Amino acid sequence: MQYLNNVLENLKAKNSNEPEFLQAVYEVLTTIKPVIEKHPEFQAEALLERITEPERLISFRVPWINDKGEVKVNRGFRVQFNGSIGPYKGGLRFHPSVNQSIMKFLAFEQCFKNALTGLPIGGGKGGSDFDPKGKSDREIMRFCQSFMNELYRHIGQDVDVPAGDIGVGAREIGYLFGQYRKIRNAYEAGVLTGKGLEYGGSLARKEATGYGLIYFMREMLKENNADLKGKTVIISGSGNVAIYACEKAQQYGAKVVALSDSNGSVYDAQGINLEVVKQIKEVERGRIKEYANRVKGSVYTEDTNSRSIWKIKADIALPCATQNEITLEDAKTLVANGVMAVGEGANMPTNLEAIEYFLEKGVLLAPAKAANAGGVATSALEMSQNSMRYSWTFEEVDKKLDDIMSNIFAACSSSAKEYGLGKNYVAGANIAAFDKLSKAMIAQGII
Ligand code: NDP
């Protein structure tokens, strides 16, 4: 298709130093090819050119002072990618690997994910190359305050609503919200989500991404005459998404045998003891290595990018750490070991070659922008509760989350069927999201 090829070529030329962004765009645009073929008017509207260019990209200096009194400088970002469905919405990531390419890929993905939720939220993302590891609470606080000193002028409850992501949890959101409130001299609770329960947070937000991933997996397995009960599961990461995916999978009777962090992974043939993990990760902010010291019979392997996890025999693999953690080589090992389903908790954890390999081998693949949308969907529910000045119970939020995830799966499945793509839920998710986003953009004219 000439139009599509031209757009991809131009994007490559214009963004040659942004591999992650190009990867995310390539995955979406190539899978929606049948839709583009059906709509020649997209070319005259320059729809693909517009959908792949952020509405706004902000980059800023974040100076802060460490505990030794030294001045440090980091780079902050906010990418406001597409606001045609609602206020920009997407997390903040604090990690040394953060750069413009990673910010743009995450923001681009977020637009499609948010469209899938069925809720009125546009797509954005932000963060900094700041590394929270090993920093004191006071250092984290000073960094967050300085970050907000610039970010506040670009966000607002009807403008852009950030949340957490890697390296940004309840502690960071608290400091960010405090500084925003002080600058604005107003209690605009809906400006950030992932807040503490004491000041406008939503019950079940912490659990939402991991639980949502498992609700999606449950639906995908159900359509394929399977369920989670008795399945062996491996999960990379041991952060927010990994912990609550593990919890829900265990509640459905699955046996989770492995978790990891950026230094290595633990294998526990008896099934992971999640209380121990929560104590290490949520309370002590420690390393997963510690698990092997506390739980008899478990084994720790030191490595990077969760390499050793994908060698463990399992029915279901849930990459919940970071982008591109499953390569073609890992995919081959997983398939050789009999994996039947992969659920992407992290954003873009499976590289393009590995996705193709899984699909070719008939592995059920739950794509990130659909399967991990439970977090942002519950953030949107937090915004609704803030607007109503009211809170729903845990059960009420969890039920809404379950319904949203079931609806997202149904949309992915029916779009894949409509275009004769069988069980290609990756394409199904992209097509369903693109359908909504493109209609909203076209309705609003050339802006
Ligand atoms: P956290 O910071 O809570 O946890 C991230 C986990 O992944 C940590 O255990 C971290 O280990 C590990 N990790 C990070 N990089 C690597 C690496 N290179 N190799 C191995 N392990 C690594 O983040 P979240 O759980 O919130 O996010 C995880 C993923 O889920 C991200 O891709 C994020 O974008 C995505 N996501 C998160 C949502 C949310 O609601 N939180 C919503 C939707 C998607 P270590 O501590 O050693 O760095």
Side-chain angles (χ1 to χ4, degrees), residues 263-265 289 300-304 308:
N263 298 113
S265 59
K289 180 180 185 179
Y300 176 72
T301 308
E302 199 153 289
D303 61 15
T304 52
S308 52

Side-chain angles (χ1 to χ4, degrees), residues 407-433:
N407 289 337
I408 294 177
F409 175 74
C412 297
S413 172
S414 70
S415 293
K417 284 194 192 108
E418 187 186 333
Y419 284 88
L421 297 164
K423 301 203 182 300
N424 186 343
Y425 304 118
V426 178
N430 290 337
I431 291 170

